[in-house]
Amino acid sequence: MAAYWMARCGINARIIDKRETKIFVGHADGLRPRTLELFDSMGFQHRVLHEASESTEVNLWVDQGKLVRQALLDMTQADHSPYHNTRLSQGRIERFILDSIHENSNLRVERSVITESLEYDEKLGGEPEAYPITVNLRTLGSEELNTPNSDKQSFENEITHEDLLPDDWEDLTQRGTQKEKAEIVKAKYVIGCDGAHSWTRKQLDIATEGSNTDHIWGVIDVVAISNFPDIKRVSVVTGATGTILVIPRERGITRFYVPVQICEAGASDRFDRSIITPKLIKSRVQEIIAPYTFDFEICDWWTVYQIGQRIATQITRGDRIFLAGDAVHTHSPKMGLGMNMSLQDGFNLGWKVALAAAGTIKPETLETYDLERHPLAKMLLDFDRLWVNLFLDIKPGEKDTKAESMADMSAKFENFAHGWNVYYPASNIVSKSADGGDARIPQNLAPGERIFPFKLRNQADGCPQWTTRLLKSDGRFRILVMAGDVRDPVQKQRIEKLSQALGTQSASGSPILDRYAGIPGRFESPIDIFTIHCAPWREVEFFDFPEVLRPLSMVTGYAYEKIWCDDACIFDRYCDGTAYEKWGVDRALGKLVVIRPDQYIGWTGDLEDLQGMTQYFDGVLVKKSHVDGASMLI
Amino acid sequence: MAAYWMARCGINARIIDKRETKIFVGHADGLRPRTLELFDSMGFQHRVLHEASESTEVNLWVDQGKLVRQALLDMTQADHSPYHNTRLSQGRIERFILDSIHENSNLRVERSVITESLEYDEKLGGEPEAYPITVNLRTLGSEELNTPNSDKQSFENEITHEDLLPDDWEDLTQRGTQKEKAEIVKAKYVIGCDGAHSWTRKQLDIATEGSNTDHIWGVIDVVAISNFPDIKRVSVVTGATGTILVIPRERGITRFYVPVQICEAGASDRFDRSIITPKLIKSRVQEIIAPYTFDFEICDWWTVYQIGQRIATQITRGDRIFLAGDAVHTHSPKMGLGMNMSLQDGFNLGWKVALAAAGTIKPETLETYDLERHPLAKMLLDFDRLWVNLFLDIKPGEKDTKAESMADMSAKFENFAHGWNVYYPASNIVSKSADGGDARIPQNLAPGERIFPFKLRNQADGCPQWTTRLLKSDGRFRILVMAGDVRDPVQKQRIEKLSQALGTQSASGSPILDRYAGIPGRFESPIDIFTIHCAPWREVEFFDFPEVLRPLSMVTGYAYEKIWCDDACIFDRYCDGTAYEKWGVDRALGKLVVIRPDQYIGWTGDLEDLQGMTQYFDGVLVKKSHVDGASMLI
């Protein structure tokens, strides 16, 4: 996700991976609605939807003499997102992100490259143009790589053609050879996304807090042969001897999370993996799911892990070196939150590093990574500790309150788990000072949160589009001019006044679009303007809007993609003209909103508050005169 | 489209093209809803939707002293299809079909291969296993090919990286070299999809009827720089000096169809193309669209053509050699019907040739290609003659009734133009005898027509899916057991009786799934069974249905994808539980329906009419004992 931003913003970066290949099977698989919204802004959500398995319910099965389906929890608020809880192999997500990097740049992931040393010169940390980091890299030559893929040990069998989609199969089989080489790389920034046992974290001598639990779980991805009724529905099954999780996946696969062992308390922190086999995991499932049958012929992947909850005490060194994902937080992998939280870490950090390297935003913006993501990692662990408890075995004779507890937890943590609320605090990119905390903030347009997605109609062609797709993650901040009902002459005049102010020189300096450094090689201005009005689509014309809102290029014509309308569209049931209401924007008065490059709300204000908005941008963007010759090497 | 079927059904085929490359820009662009439904059944409609430009309205502009928008015709019945009128370059459609061929087989399009002779031995025509056709092929060597792409002459400029999406760019630039060679190929079947000047048609000495008109049109794909309000909406603009068509496209392009010249009546049939230039076309647009401005910097593609309406008098020779697409019908290219009709020709013909070559269906089924598609070609030309007239210049002083005529025509021909009705007559694959013509035929389940698409819920996982996607075009016939409300014990009993009959040996021979030859290398049975019930989703379980409807494989488990439910789903506004009503199926009684491999309805009957259904299958499918060692070479 971080590499996506480097590709998208034209940054001179290296993406190195010690793995020989991308991931093809297994690993994480749960995708939360917010992650899918971000994928939409990155341009590949249609591929996810085409392949993935969706669901909106969780079934709870309990042992009441026999196994019974006790409750069916609706995990999705139907209208809160275009997307639902979804499962797709991490390998496919990697595929789509890799393809996106390929489409947007010449960057490629360099594989079988290991890091041998990392040095950070703190004295240079304060100089934006300096390269304070030195990394020694070694590219492994083909002759050192003796396995066809490094996943090998996780498999019962080798991966075959049938296991993979054609594009992944070609990736696996058509790799070239590479020669061994050593390199010294000088960098402005380093992002360590190197997992639970992060090498980067160790080099920085950053401690982790937390511990392993006594519980050892097995995971198997199989094509289940079973008469259990909910093999294709997300289910928590508590039989007489334990609790398992049933997670249906794409391509007929079902994943089972299975408790296989409880270590003795105080025994060694690490356990002996070798005693756990797919056969053992299978017999545990059979035991718990009885009297229903369970077996399989095809096992796509399996693994064993000890549940641990650990968090890194720091996630950055001098805002030059960063940790993200599992390098920061590890926890039980049963809520799909690991991959989602990690993807969102990378997404949050990537645009900041990219735009700081590009000379577009002020380097101090990088402080907000720690500010925004570290508390979430802590929340995640708090959540996980509660969640894991629900899976501990019920003691005989004890009243089983699992269903109630789970329903409670789901309701309480839903917005967090789905990624709909992130609670980003005030900073130079989240303005809560202007109208923070008081009634003037529209209910669903809170700075620091996502903008609630809606389908809007393009004024020029009338076609509906999700805001998650039209607000592209291309590195730019976006001003949303919520113009209100522009048939009203008074409102129209306010828009004209605003447009004039947006386009012209003012006492405070150059017009807002010319005031700040662009993204070199990508965009002249780091700010893009979208207008969303709420007059009926047929009663307004594209050309009714001032030209600064729909600029003319003598090569690409008018910017037809910039004027949108919150009106119903008879041929799309999801485009129903309710965005203003649900955003809490007054149709008569409109609103001014700034969206950050990562799709979170940065600032809101009245249509007249150009000064407040300029102040916001001044706090984050580099003014034009300051950016002569900024190097892009990171 | 025909090649798709060869790939999908595992046929040993050659796909040869005299062009050096696929098409990258220009050519046809209009996609009708029915074509998109077929793409969904082929598995790539999500890619089309992601890239294409949609629209649902047509605007009419007329000259009333000044140009005014006179009418806005709604061209789409909102709920008649998941898809709308859509535009995307033919080059992208080729991309998706090529990728699908690649994913399903080892077949590849062989380029720069020309045909030198075609011989057909009629004496062998009646022997299914004979190879009555001899084709001499010549593969052109790289040294003979002196242009980087054969489209060159159509361009102002060469294609650059910016003009193409990355996958097309790699296709264009990463071609290998090839050596010249000559070959003699013996074939069972040949399909000539070789365009208006079809070489195949000439070899067969098949005449065309019809003629060119006097009207010469220009087409330009440009990024328009214009203050005309409807550049992004499909528009018919009749200015003082003529009529143009404005067709918005993907990637900011707009296509203009422009009358540039009227030949003298009786003058030479062919005109001098060289006098027509983009500059001349541009000035015609400027003239007609005035007082609005029009200009462009970027011209993606342009061409000139003389409107002709021609139809081949025959479309097959002995049901061994076939013509499809422009080789059969040419007409004015302004309604998007050329590409759609041609794609559907190939789709109709492809599965028949593939399954005949595979020994799955009786060769006489091939007669239905002529029966089904030739009359449609005639209808297309009738429609086109009427349509073209609307674009002839209004004579001064005459009342302009264009808007009324267009609205009339649209209403009259809509179902035909969209591809929703095909009017396929009775044959061995369209049973109109059983309950044909009488009131027992459900209104929207008429044999010979498409099955009206709906979103249904999968019984096992509860997720909604369009019928267009779940009824995959994989070569199999499909029995839809419309089981009705299976909570009713009487109805449940009927389903059990039917299932027993489907699964067991009967007086008429082996059970229906074991009775017919399969598709070698693909499917053991050419028949797939889907059940669609209409009880509330939560009141029925997957395992309530008899096993023949949800068979168990000891490798892939239960067939969870086979039981569907017509019930509303709160998280999908399109899944509203109305399929039974709109199909006209009695919820208490249900229905039995057979869908052909190409998604058209073949037969309908009551749940007890297994005999009628078996009769239908006996008429088209080859019984098992008849197919020992059928060769697959075509």
Side-chain angles (χ1 to χ4, degrees):
Chain A
M1 290 292 264
Y4 163 86
W5 283 113
M6 304 307 143
R8 193 79 203 220
C9 298
I11 304 305
N12 178 9
R14 301 279 296 268
I15 313 162
I16 63 163
D17 189 351
K18 71 175 180 183
R19 285 179 56 94
E20 277 172 71
T21 64
K22 70 184 274 296
I23 280 173
F24 292 106
V25 296
H27 299 271
D29 62 353
L31 293 162
R32 293 287 183 162
R34 181 56 184 165
T35 305
L36 301 175
E37 293 172 13
L38 297 179
F39 288 168
D40 204 16
S41 76
M42 297 164 79
F44 55 74
Q45 170 57 6
H46 63 299
R47 299 181 70 185
V48 178
L49 270 188
H50 186 70
E51 296 184 15
S53 162
E54 282 185 285
S55 69
T56 55
E57 285 140 323
V58 173
N59 291 314
L60 302 181
W61 287 76
V62 294
D63 180 38
Q64 299 180 340
K66 58 175 191 168
L67 269 188
V68 292
R69 194 195 279 134
Q70 189 192 35
L72 195 147
L73 305 180
D74 185 354
M75 296 289 278
T76 299
Q77 289 157 280
D79 278 338
H80 271 44
S81 176
Y83 309 115
H84 310 296
N85 283 329
T86 295
R87 272 92 39 205
L88 185 63
S89 162
Q90 179 177 340
R92 296 304 295 167
I93 304 305
E94 284 192 27
R95 168 89 280 136
F96 304 148
I97 296 175
L98 289 169
D99 287 351
S100 182
I101 289 171
H102 181 74
E103 284 161 21
N104 283 293
S105 71
N106 294 320
L107 298 183
R108 297 293 177 268
V109 177
E110 301 169 49
R111 303 203 181 273
S112 303
V113 177
I114 56 173
T115 40
E116 299 195 309
S117 70
L118 171 69
E119 281 164 45
Y120 175 53
D121 185 347
E122 287 197 31
K123 294 191 304 293
L124 295 173
E127 294 172 31
E129 296 311 312
Y131 294 84
I133 307 160
T134 308
V135 183
N136 280 28
L137 295 183
R138 194 159 70 87
T139 302
L140 303 181
S142 300
E143 61 282 359
E144 287 181 81
L145 309 169
N146 52 5
T147 57
N149 67 78
S150 55
D151 246 342
K152 198 177 179 182
Q153 70 197 65
S154 314
F155 287 100
E156 289 259 82
N157 305 304
E158 284 294 311
I159 295 179
T160 67
H161 199 155
E162 286 67 42
D163 300 326
L164 299 184
L165 290 172
D167 50 359
D168 268 354
W169 180 248
E170 280 160 19
D171 193 311
L172 179 65
T173 56
Q174 293 179 4
R175 284 174 297 144
T177 55
Q178 62 186 29
K179 285 223 173 82
E180 199 199 334
K181 67 175 174 197
E183 279 174 282
I184 300 167
V185 178
K186 296 290 234 175
K188 282 185 173 173
Y189 301 100
V190 161
I191 303 177
C193 308
D194 45 357
H197 305 292
S198 173
W199 175 90
T200 313
R201 192 182 64 215
K202 282 171 198 148
Q203 301 308 303
L204 299 178
D205 220 11
I206 291 176
T208 59
E209 283 172 357
S211 62
N212 287 339
T213 68
D214 308 328
H215 292 257
I216 314 295
W217 287 66
V219 191
I220 39 173
D221 285 351
V222 300
V223 178
I225 299 166
S226 168
N227 60 2
F228 178 67
D230 284 355
I231 284 290
K232 301 297 282 181
R233 302 179 190 176
V234 176
S235 307
V236 180
V237 183
T238 304
T241 65
T243 296
I244 58 172
L245 234 80
V246 181
I247 316 272
R249 289 268 304 267
E250 75 278 10
R251 297 194 301 124
I253 294 167
T254 303
R255 168 167 291 192
F256 293 80
Y257 285 102
V258 186
V260 283
Q261 198 186 323
I262 301 181
C263 299
E264 282 172 51
S268 82
D269 204 34
R270 311 277 299 166
F271 66 98
D272 176 15
R273 273 169 184 260
S274 66
I275 59 166
I276 318 283
T277 62
K279 209 171 154 187
L280 184 139
I281 299 172
K282 178 165 87 178
S283 69
R284 279 292 284 157
V285 174
Q286 287 169 333
E287 209 177 287
I288 291 169
I289 216 167
Y292 296 109
T293 60
F294 173 76
D295 208 336
F296 57 83
E297 277 289 311
I298 296 169
C299 176
D300 205 48
W301 181 77
W302 71 279
T303 194
V304 182
Y305 62 92
Q306 183 164 18
I307 293 182
Q309 283 128 353
R310 291 176 183 276
I311 185 169
T313 52
Q314 294 169 40
I315 67 174
T316 176
R317 175 67 37 92
D319 294 320
R320 288 289 197 162
I321 306 177
F322 303 92
L323 302 175
D326 283 3
V328 177
H329 42 75
T330 60
H331 53 92
S332 77
K334 287 183 299 292
M335 282 295 291
L337 285 177
M339 177 161 71
N340 289 274
M341 193 62 88
S342 297
L343 288 166
Q344 288 171 31
D345 281 350
F347 198 75
N348 181 288
L349 176 58
W351 71 269
K352 295 170 185 173
V353 171
L355 294 186
T360 308
I361 61 170
K362 298 183 176 176
E364 59 260 39
T365 311
L366 291 164
E367 295 166 16
T368 64
Y369 173 61
D370 188 20
L371 191 71
E372 295 183 344
R373 300 304 299 179
H374 211 175
L376 285 188
K378 288 170 195 152
M379 266 186 84
L380 172 62
L381 263 73
D382 289 343
F383 175 62
D384 192 62
R385 276 185 211 103
L386 292 173
W387 187 251
V388 160
N389 277 335
L390 295 180
F391 290 89
L392 301 186
D393 303 344
I394 310 289
K395 289 179 193 74
E398 211 172 313
K399 190 179 174 316
D400 179 8
T401 56
K402 212 165 291 242
E404 292 84 348
S405 311
M406 252 181 217
D408 274 6
M409 282 264 296
S410 296
K412 197 169 157 199
F413 280 93
E414 184 177 28
N415 284 346
F416 169 69
H418 286 331
W420 290 336
N421 283 118
V422 293
Y423 315 105
Y424 290 160
S427 69
N428 73 328
I429 51 174
V430 174
S431 164
K432 297 198 177 184
S433 55
D435 43 15
D438 78 30
R440 281 180 303 154
I441 286 205
Q443 199 189 344
N444 283 310
L445 287 177
E449 296 300 339
R450 100 202 215 269
I451 181 163
F452 204 98
F454 283 102
K455 263 194 159 169
L456 303 173
R457 296 188 77 175
N458 181 274
Q459 184 59 41
D461 68 19
C463 287
Q465 195 61 268
W466 284 108
T467 47
T468 48
R469 185 163 174 210
L470 68 93
L471 302 174
K472 286 186 174 50
S473 288
D474 61 11
R476 288 182 292 178
F477 287 75
R478 249 173 217 108
I479 300 172
L480 305 188
V481 178
M482 302 212 177
D485 187 342
V486 289
R487 292 172 306 176
D488 171 19
V490 175
Q491 187 65 8
K492 199 168 177 184
Q493 212 173 13
R494 289 179 74 204
I495 298 306
E496 270 157 18
K497 217 175 130 192
L498 168 67
S499 302
Q500 210 169 16
L502 284 170
T504 54
Q505 196 90 9
S506 73
S508 67
S510 50
I512 202 155
L513 292 178
D514 286 337
R515 188 176 174 90
Y516 306 107
I519 306 174
R522 294 294 195 266
F523 298 104
E524 277 183 35
S525 171
I527 300 174
D528 191 25
I529 304 177
F530 273 79
T531 300
I532 304 169
H533 73 86
C534 66
W537 179 71
R538 291 200 178 177
E539 296 186 28
V540 172
E541 299 282 342
F542 175 79
F543 288 105
D544 290 348
F545 292 83
E547 193 164 325
V548 72
L549 302 181
R550 47 163 187 85
L552 172 66
S553 145
M554 291 320 290
V555 175
T556 58
Y558 284 101
Y560 293 108
E561 74 284 5
K562 290 193 187 293
I563 311 283
W564 295 83
C565 171
D566 178 29
D567 190 10
C569 174
I570 57 147
F571 53 84
D572 190 325
R573 294 186 195 175
Y574 281 95
C575 185
D576 58 4
T578 61
Y580 266 60
E581 273 66 38
K582 297 219 182 109
W583 283 334
V585 175
D586 189 317
R587 298 178 88 89
L589 296 176
K591 198 86 196 169
L592 212 49
V593 176
V594 173
I595 307 289
R596 313 183 336 181
D598 61 358
Q599 315 295 319
Y600 288 87
I601 299 170
W603 178 93
T604 67
D606 294 335
L607 288 173
E608 278 74 18
D609 195 9
L610 204 65
Q611 199 186 346
M613 187 168 72
T614 307
Q615 230 160 38
Y616 172 84
F617 284 128
D618 281 355
V620 52
L621 294 171
V622 175
K623 284 194 203 147
K624 256 190 177 159
S625 52
H626 297 183
V627 285
D628 23 60
S631 163
M632 282 192 297
L633 186 72
I634 71 158
Chain B
M1 289 292 264
Y4 163 85
W5 283 113
M6 305 306 145
R8 192 81 204 218
C9 298
I11 304 305
N12 179 7
R14 301 279 298 266
I15 314 162
I16 61 164
D17 189 350
K18 70 174 181 183
R19 286 179 54 97
E20 277 171 73
T21 65
K22 69 184 278 294
I23 281 173
F24 292 105
V25 295
H27 299 272
D29 62 354
L31 292 161
R32 292 288 183 162
R34 181 58 184 161
T35 305
L36 300 176
E37 292 171 15
L38 298 179
F39 288 168
D40 204 16
S41 76
M42 299 163 79
F44 55 75
Q45 170 57 7
H46 63 297
R47 300 182 68 184
V48 177
L49 271 187
H50 186 72
E51 295 183 17
S53 162
E54 282 186 287
S55 68
T56 55
E57 286 142 321
V58 173
N59 291 313
L60 302 180
W61 287 76
V62 295
D63 181 39
Q64 297 180 339
K66 58 176 190 167
L67 269 188
V68 291
R69 194 195 279 134
Q70 191 191 33
L72 193 146
L73 305 180
D74 184 354
M75 296 288 278
T76 299
Q77 291 157 277
D79 279 337
H80 272 45
S81 176
Y83 310 115
H84 310 297
N85 284 329
T86 294
R87 273 94 37 205
L88 184 64
S89 163
Q90 179 177 340
R92 295 304 295 169
I93 304 305
E94 284 192 26
R95 166 91 281 135
F96 304 147
I97 297 175
L98 289 169
D99 287 350
S100 182
I101 290 170
H102 181 72
E103 284 161 21
N104 283 293
S105 72
N106 293 319
L107 298 183
R108 298 292 178 268
V109 178
E110 301 170 49
R111 304 204 180 271
S112 304
V113 177
I114 56 173
T115 41
E116 300 197 309
S117 70
L118 171 69
E119 280 165 47
Y120 175 54
D121 185 347
E122 287 195 31
K123 293 191 303 295
L124 296 174
E127 296 172 29
E129 296 311 312
Y131 294 83
I133 307 160
T134 307
V135 183
N136 280 26
L137 294 183
R138 194 160 69 85
T139 302
L140 303 181
S142 299
E143 60 284 359
E144 286 182 83
L145 309 170
N146 50 6
T147 58
N149 68 77
S150 55
D151 246 344
K152 197 178 178 183
Q153 71 197 66
S154 313
F155 287 99
E156 290 257 82
N157 305 305
E158 284 294 312
I159 296 179
T160 67
H161 200 155
E162 286 68 41
D163 300 327
L164 298 185
L165 290 172
D167 51 357
D168 268 355
W169 180 249
E170 280 159 21
D171 193 312
L172 179 64
T173 55
Q174 294 177 3
R175 284 175 296 144
T177 55
Q178 63 186 28
K179 286 224 171 81
E180 199 196 334
K181 69 174 172 199
E183 280 174 282
I184 300 167
V185 177
K186 296 290 236 177
K188 282 183 172 173
Y189 300 100
V190 161
I191 303 177
C193 307
D194 46 353
H197 306 292
S198 172
W199 176 89
T200 315
R201 192 182 65 215
K202 281 172 198 147
Q203 300 308 301
L204 300 177
D205 222 9
I206 292 175
T208 60
E209 282 172 356
S211 62
N212 287 338
T213 67
D214 307 329
H215 292 258
I216 314 295
W217 287 68
V219 190
I220 38 172
D221 285 350
V222 299
V223 178
I225 298 166
S226 167
N227 61 2
F228 178 67
D230 284 355
I231 283 292
K232 301 297 282 180
R233 302 178 189 176
V234 176
S235 307
V236 181
V237 182
T238 304
T241 64
T243 295
I244 58 173
L245 235 77
V246 180
I247 315 273
R249 289 267 304 269
E250 76 279 8
R251 298 195 299 125
I253 294 167
T254 303
R255 168 168 290 193
F256 293 82
Y257 285 103
V258 187
V260 283
Q261 197 185 323
I262 302 180
C263 299
E264 281 173 50
S268 81
D269 204 34
R270 311 275 300 163
F271 67 99
D272 177 14
R273 272 170 184 261
S274 67
I275 59 167
I276 317 284
T277 63
K279 207 170 156 187
L280 185 139
I281 298 172
K282 176 164 89 178
S283 70
R284 278 292 282 156
V285 176
Q286 287 169 332
E287 206 177 290
I288 290 169
I289 216 167
Y292 296 108
T293 59
F294 173 76
D295 207 336
F296 58 83
E297 277 290 312
I298 297 170
C299 176
D300 205 49
W301 182 76
W302 71 280
T303 192
V304 182
Y305 63 92
Q306 183 163 20
I307 293 181
Q309 281 125 356
R310 290 173 183 278
I311 186 169
T313 53
Q314 295 168 41
I315 66 174
T316 175
R317 175 66 39 90
D319 293 321
R320 288 289 199 163
I321 306 177
F322 302 92
L323 302 175
D326 283 3
V328 177
H329 41 75
T330 59
H331 52 91
S332 76
K334 287 183 302 292
M335 282 295 290
L337 286 176
M339 177 160 71
N340 289 275
M341 193 63 89
S342 297
L343 288 167
Q344 289 170 32
D345 280 352
F347 198 75
N348 182 287
L349 176 58
W351 71 270
K352 296 170 184 172
V353 170
L355 294 185
T360 309
I361 62 170
K362 298 183 175 178
E364 58 259 40
T365 312
L366 291 164
E367 294 167 14
T368 64
Y369 173 62
D370 188 18
L371 192 72
E372 294 183 343
R373 300 304 298 180
H374 212 173
L376 285 189
K378 287 170 195 150
M379 266 186 83
L380 172 64
L381 264 71
D382 289 345
F383 174 63
D384 191 64
R385 276 184 210 101
L386 292 171
W387 186 251
V388 159
N389 276 335
L390 295 181
F391 291 88
L392 301 186
D393 302 345
I394 311 290
K395 288 177 194 75
E398 210 172 315
K399 190 178 175 314
D400 179 8
T401 57
K402 209 164 295 239
E404 291 86 346
S405 312
M406 255 182 215
D408 273 5
M409 282 263 295
S410 296
K412 198 170 157 196
F413 281 94
E414 184 178 29
N415 284 347
F416 169 69
H418 286 330
W420 292 337
N421 284 118
V422 294
Y423 315 105
Y424 290 160
S427 69
N428 72 328
I429 49 173
V430 174
S431 165
K432 298 198 177 183
S433 55
D435 44 16
D438 77 30
R440 282 181 302 155
I441 286 208
Q443 199 188 343
N444 283 311
L445 288 176
E449 296 299 341
R450 100 201 215 270
I451 180 162
F452 204 99
F454 282 101
K455 262 194 162 170
L456 303 173
R457 295 187 78 175
N458 182 274
Q459 184 60 42
D461 68 18
C463 288
Q465 196 59 273
W466 284 106
T467 48
T468 48
R469 185 164 173 210
L470 68 95
L471 303 173
K472 287 188 173 49
S473 288
D474 61 11
R476 289 182 292 178
F477 287 76
R478 245 171 221 112
I479 300 173
L480 305 188
V481 178
M482 301 209 176
D485 187 342
V486 289
R487 292 171 305 174
D488 173 21
V490 177
Q491 187 65 10
K492 199 168 179 186
Q493 213 174 13
R494 291 179 74 205
I495 298 305
E496 271 157 17
K497 216 174 130 193
L498 168 68
S499 301
Q500 210 168 18
L502 284 170
T504 55
Q505 197 90 8
S506 73
S508 67
S510 52
I512 203 155
L513 292 179
D514 286 336
R515 190 178 172 87
Y516 306 107
I519 307 173
R522 293 295 197 266
F523 298 104
E524 278 183 33
S525 170
I527 299 175
D528 190 25
I529 304 179
F530 273 79
T531 299
I532 304 169
H533 73 87
C534 65
W537 179 72
R538 291 200 177 177
E539 297 186 26
V540 173
E541 300 282 341
F542 175 78
F543 288 105
D544 291 347
F545 292 84
E547 192 165 326
V548 71
L549 303 181
R550 45 162 189 87
L552 172 66
S553 147
M554 289 320 291
V555 175
T556 58
Y558 284 103
Y560 294 107
E561 74 285 5
K562 290 194 187 295
I563 311 283
W564 296 82
C565 172
D566 178 27
D567 190 10
C569 175
I570 57 145
F571 54 84
D572 191 325
R573 296 186 193 175
Y574 281 96
C575 185
D576 59 2
T578 61
Y580 266 60
E581 273 66 38
K582 297 219 183 108
W583 282 336
V585 175
D586 190 317
R587 297 178 89 88
L589 296 176
K591 200 84 197 171
L592 213 47
V593 176
V594 174
I595 307 288
R596 314 181 338 181
D598 61 356
Q599 314 296 318
Y600 289 88
I601 298 169
W603 178 91
T604 67
D606 294 335
L607 289 172
E608 278 74 19
D609 195 8
L610 203 63
Q611 199 186 347
M613 188 169 70
T614 307
Q615 232 162 36
Y616 171 84
F617 283 129
D618 281 355
V620 53
L621 293 171
V622 175
K623 283 192 205 149
K624 256 188 178 160
S625 53
H626 295 182
V627 283
D628 24 62
S631 163
M632 282 194 297
L633 186 73
I634 72 160

